Amino acid sequence: MEQAPIETPERRAFYNRIDKQNMTALWTVMGDLITPEPKSPCVPALWRFDEIHAAMIEAGKLITAKEAERRVLVLENPGLRGQSKITTSLYAGVQLVMPHEVAPAHRHSQSALRFVLEGQGAHTSVDGERTRMSPGDFIITPIMTWHDHGNETDQPIFWLDGLDIPLIQFLDASFVERLDRDEQPIAKPAGDSSARYGANLLPIDYHGRGATSPIFNYPYARTREALHQLATAGNHDPCHGIKMRYTNPVTGDHAMPTMGTFIQLLPKGFSTSRYRATDATVFAVAEGRGRTRVGDQTLAWGPKDIFVVPSWHPIVHEAAEESVLFSFSDRPVQEKIGVWREDRGNA
Ligand code: 1HN
């Protein structure tokens, strides 16, 4: 049934009667409930970093990180204004920590990821360990782990935050706690998780803790080196160029249970084959320039710009320069429940 059955006076009167009893006739709404293809109010959109940057510097003068708890400008999808969503299921924002500021410790049931856009040497502490942040680093904060951020350098630091807030909201499973001091105690030396879990080794009797990767900083230097090596080898995927996913080394699954995270290299002049998938995806430009055609729209991007592609919208990336794109989506959730789908055209 694609269209609702016609309304007669008898039917209308019946609908009005049952409406008062909190009931609705399925056949009047069924077409909106099960659509032949994904149908979403989420629309394609792009935020230029120079515009984000200017607004954030203004925000930096208006409020401290401490007073704000997190000084973030939320990137709201134009089709979902007022809901703090960049896609139907995901949240994104850009965070600024000014020199000598602290964003105080808290923990929550939402998972968070950071992708560093600009600034070098500030730190984030997660679950008793501190890590330095550099551009392109991908950093995760697992469910209910204490985290605080600090900047002891003389330059502001900016990063993209991605959280599964709308998913957790949908499930009514949100909890947050604040620590009684700004910074959590540091119990482990810097580099501990990276040595313990991120060196192609695991402690002999370690079998993982929760669904999130025990590595919490995937440094750009190592990621970039791998991409470079793979680009040299060739064999680019027609739809993706060289595209890799960040993994949990304990399980081989995605690094986080609710958000899939990806990094891809597009060679200079590369144009991808038309591709669509059911996971609406947020992209951050780590390097390069180019454009992404989404249906009949064109999103022109440069370094540190952020853009979003809704579910099932066909895309073509065209790289004017060698480019590196970070991206994240709810793909792990869709895969777990068996609804994730892609359409590679004929590629
Ligand atoms: C949060 O905890 C952070 O820890 C950033 O940096 C953004 C947005 C909503 C709720 C919690 C962070 C957030 C957030």
Side-chain angles (χ1 to χ4, degrees):
M1 183 198 63
E2 300 249 336
Q3 271 192 317
I6 55 152
E7 217 176 79
T8 63
E10 291 86 345
R11 287 175 180 177
R12 182 71 250 161
F14 172 69
Y15 302 152
N16 288 341
R17 275 200 309 281
I18 64 167
D19 180 63
K20 297 183 182 66
Q21 298 160 296
N22 300 312
M23 291 188 279
T24 296
L26 174 61
W27 61 88
T28 65
V29 294
M30 198 163 181
D32 296 329
L33 299 181
I34 48 171
T35 56
E37 289 199 345
K39 215 173 134 181
S40 175
C42 177
V43 296
L46 178 140
W47 293 261
R48 285 166 46 115
F49 185 70
D50 56 0
E51 291 182 9
I52 297 172
H53 187 274
M56 296 231 59
I57 292 296
E58 275 191 63
K61 293 174 187 148
L62 284 175
I63 194 163
T64 62
K66 186 169 167 155
E67 191 192 349
E69 187 164 338
R70 295 294 184 266
R71 188 199 291 108
V72 174
L73 296 182
V74 180
L75 306 182
E76 286 201 313
N77 191 285
L80 301 164
R81 291 306 308 273
Q83 303 178 55
S84 300
K85 295 175 176 183
I86 192 160
T87 70
T88 309
S89 61
L90 298 173
Y91 159 101
V94 176
Q95 182 159 177
L96 165 63
V97 184
M98 294 295 283
H100 315 297
E101 280 192 322
V102 171
H106 67 195
R107 59 177 184 172
H108 40 70
S109 36
Q110 293 80 0
S111 295
L113 67 85
R114 335 255 167 227
F115 188 75
V116 182
L117 298 171
E118 187 175 293
Q120 176 92 44
H123 66 264
T124 184
S125 303
V126 179
D127 200 18
E129 185 180 335
R130 189 172 269 200
T131 189
R132 278 166 51 90
M133 303 173 92
S134 297
D137 288 0
F138 161 59
I139 294 162
I140 65 185
T141 304
I143 299 162
M144 273 304 178
T145 52
W146 292 108
H147 55 287
D148 50 88
H149 319 301
N151 185 356
E152 284 150 15
T153 75
D154 292 321
Q155 4 157 352
I157 184 159
F158 299 82
W159 67 75
L160 170 66
D161 285 314
L163 288 93
D164 55 7
I165 291 170
L167 270 172
I168 302 305
Q169 192 173 49
F170 179 74
L171 299 171
D172 283 336
S174 173
F175 295 91
V176 63
E177 294 168 27
R178 278 139 192 126
L179 199 62
D180 56 4
R181 58 201 129 156
D182 286 351
E183 295 181 284
Q184 66 183 295
I186 298 304
K188 301 171 216 169
D192 192 79
S193 310
S194 166
R196 210 175 286 275
Y197 311 110
N200 298 321
L201 300 167
L202 289 174
I204 180 74
D205 287 319
Y206 182 77
H207 302 290
R209 195 159 46 83
T212 308
S213 171
I215 302 172
F216 77 108
N217 189 348
Y218 294 73
Y220 191 59
R222 286 171 66 182
T223 303
R224 188 65 181 85
E225 176 58 31
L227 290 176
H228 173 73
Q229 176 84 33
L230 295 171
T232 307
N235 256 323
H236 297 72
D237 182 283
C239 295
H240 303 303
I242 305 287
K243 187 167 184 178
M244 311 292 281
R245 64 184 175 90
Y246 292 92
T247 64
N248 176 344
V250 185
T251 60
D253 205 340
H254 294 281
M256 320 190 79
T258 50
M259 292 183 283
T261 46
F262 312 91
I263 193 91
Q264 77 192 105
L265 182 145
L266 303 167
K268 181 182 164 81
F270 195 84
S271 182
T272 59
S273 294
R274 200 178 126 100
Y275 176 86
R276 59 183 175 169
T278 51
D279 53 326
T281 302
V282 180
F283 291 87
V285 182
E287 290 178 39
R289 283 182 191 283
R291 53 191 190 179
T292 298
R293 297 185 187 279
V294 189
D296 54 13
Q297 276 178 263
T298 301
L299 306 174
W301 41 260
K304 305 171 215 172
D305 290 350
I306 295 158
F307 62 97
V308 58
V309 175
S311 166
W312 213 237
H313 283 48
I315 59 170
V316 169
H317 298 300
E318 298 167 357
E321 298 167 8
E322 181 178 69
S323 300
V324 179
L325 303 178
F326 170 82
S327 57
F328 69 98
S329 76
D330 62 13
R331 180 167 163 174
V333 177
Q334 296 201 31
E335 288 175 344
K336 293 287 181 303
I337 63 178
V339 296
W340 185 78
R341 243 200 233 204
E342 65 177 346
D343 170 11
R344 294 178 52 92
N346 294 316

